[in-house]
Amino acid sequence: MFTWIYALPIWLDFLLITGTAVGLTVTAILLSRRAVQRAFGPEPGWNETVTMVLTVGGVFYGLLLGLIAAATYESYDAAQSRVADEAAAVGTLYREVSAYPEPYRELLRDDLADYTRDVLDVVWPALQQGREPIGGTALVTRFQGHLLEFHPSNSAEEIVHAATIDQFARFDSDRRHRINATKGGIPDVLWWTILVGGVVNLVLLCLFCLGKHAHLVLGGLFAFFLGAMIFLIAALDYPFRGDLSVSSEPFDSVYVNVMGR
């Protein structure tokens, strides 16, 4: 629902979301203030009643926001781990094929270098735009074909080849997990629940009978905090998109430090 924010700088997203929440709250308070005071101002204990309802509703709404924020961060952290695991698997695989005889050694190392370069130059920019390019699959298939073409000529090569095939299986599994992690996103029904719950809490804020300035300050602070929470959830919702996206640094490190390219 908030995928549009990934096309903007992160600071602008923060200002837009929190500013909208504060602006709507302040406007609603100013527009409803006289009507609320006429309807409920003289009623004894009215503010206490609103406080009780806001407290009870706020507990459940805050719990919902907290659980969703925690789940979103957990998905983001898991995506970072997937990237690190895949990069480490590529580096290990590169070192193992370095023990192969020529011409397979150079052929397999070039395949892995091409795959890593493709991840950095093609895959990552596409992921930040919400797309998953298919070129990486062709490069993995090419490496697999070259790997299976090799036939060991002695027991030492058999051991190395078996270990390499096993490592390739781990790399392919890590790659699939990383690809699956790119398909995050909170279901729209949860977003609607968050937004509707926020509107209900802001309406309750408007029902207080307070001094003008105190009402605006308290309402603005509450709305700012609410907007900040929604911003946090939206910014981490898709871990590979936006300024806060998962970094490709593990692949950069492997490409430079392991492959020496």
Side-chain angles (χ1 to χ4, degrees), residues 27 35 45 89 93 97 122 148 152 195 213 227 252:
T27 302
L93 198 55
V97 300
V122 179
L148 296 180
L195 295 178
H213 294 94
D252 281 304

Side-chain angles (χ1 to χ4, degrees), residues 182-239:
T182 66
K183 303 178 177 18
I186 297 174
D188 285 348
V189 64
L190 278 181
W191 273 121
W192 282 114
T193 302
I194 291 173
L195 295 178
V196 170
V199 170
V200 170
N201 279 273
L202 295 182
V203 169
L204 288 172
L205 282 174
C206 294
L207 294 180
F208 279 105
C209 293
L210 301 171
K212 180 178 180 181
H213 294 94
H215 202 174
L216 291 176
V217 170
L218 292 176
L221 289 175
F222 184 90
F224 179 81
F225 175 73
L226 179 60
M229 288 293 294
I230 293 176
F231 159 78
L232 176 64
I233 294 172
L236 298 180
D237 191 17
Y238 287 88

Side-chain angles (χ1 to χ4, degrees), residues 3-256:
T3 54
W4 54 269
I5 73 169
Y6 302 118
L8 302 174
I10 196 68
W11 61 268
L12 184 56
D13 293 330
F14 179 78
L15 291 179
L16 283 175
I17 295 177
T18 56
T20 298
V22 172
L24 288 175
T25 302
V26 169
T27 302
I29 289 175
L30 291 175
L31 292 178
S32 63
R33 181 174 172 78
R34 291 184 179 178
V36 170
Q37 288 180 338
R38 284 197 303 267
F40 307 109
E43 185 173 328
W46 173 249
N47 284 341
E48 289 75 11
T49 301
V50 176
T51 299
M52 182 188 67
V53 175
L54 184 61
T55 300
V56 174
V59 167
F60 289 104
Y61 185 67
L63 181 62
L64 172 66
L65 282 183
L67 289 175
I68 293 176
T72 303
Y73 179 76
E74 184 178 350
S75 297
Y76 180 88
D77 189 56
Q80 286 184 313
S81 298
R82 299 299 186 192
V83 171
D85 290 344
E86 183 185 358
V90 171
T92 302
L93 198 55
Y94 187 87
R95 292 190 182 279
E96 289 188 347
V97 300
S98 296
Y100 278 53
E102 295 290 2
Y104 286 99
R105 178 192 306 165
E106 198 62 27
L107 187 64
L108 292 171
R109 293 203 303 185
D110 285 344
D111 287 343
L112 290 174
D114 289 344
Y115 173 79
T116 306
R117 192 71 258 170
D118 179 75
V119 168
L120 294 172
D121 294 343
V122 179
V123 173
W124 231 255
L127 289 177
Q128 291 180 330
Q129 298 173 7
R131 298 183 291 106
E132 172 63 40
I134 61 175
T137 301
L139 292 172
V140 172
T141 302
R142 188 180 78 184
F143 173 84
Q144 183 182 26
H146 291 156
L147 181 64
L148 296 180
E149 285 177 5
F150 176 73
H151 298 288
S153 59
N154 54 56
S155 58
E157 290 182 353
E158 287 178 357
I159 293 174
V160 171
H161 190 54
T164 303
I165 290 177
D166 185 56
Q167 180 61 31
F168 173 74
R170 283 196 289 271
F171 153 69
D172 193 51
S173 175
D174 290 336
R175 178 174 178 271
R176 297 312 310 174
H177 286 149
R178 189 262 301 165
I179 291 175
N180 290 335
T182 66
K183 303 178 177 18
I186 297 174
D188 285 348
V189 64
L190 278 181
W191 273 121
W192 282 114
T193 302
I194 291 173
L195 295 178
V196 170
V199 170
V200 170
N201 279 273
L202 295 182
V203 169
L204 288 172
L205 282 174
C206 294
L207 294 180
F208 279 105
C209 293
L210 301 171
K212 180 178 180 181
H213 294 94
H215 202 174
L216 291 176
V217 170
L218 292 176
L221 289 175
F222 184 90
F224 179 81
F225 175 73
L226 179 60
M229 288 293 294
I230 293 176
F231 159 78
L232 176 64
I233 294 172
L236 298 180
D237 191 17
Y238 287 88
F240 290 91
R241 300 181 66 176
D243 289 349
L244 292 180
S245 61
V246 173
S247 172
S248 62
E249 192 276 333
F251 282 98
D252 281 304
S253 179
V254 167
Y255 193 74
V256 174

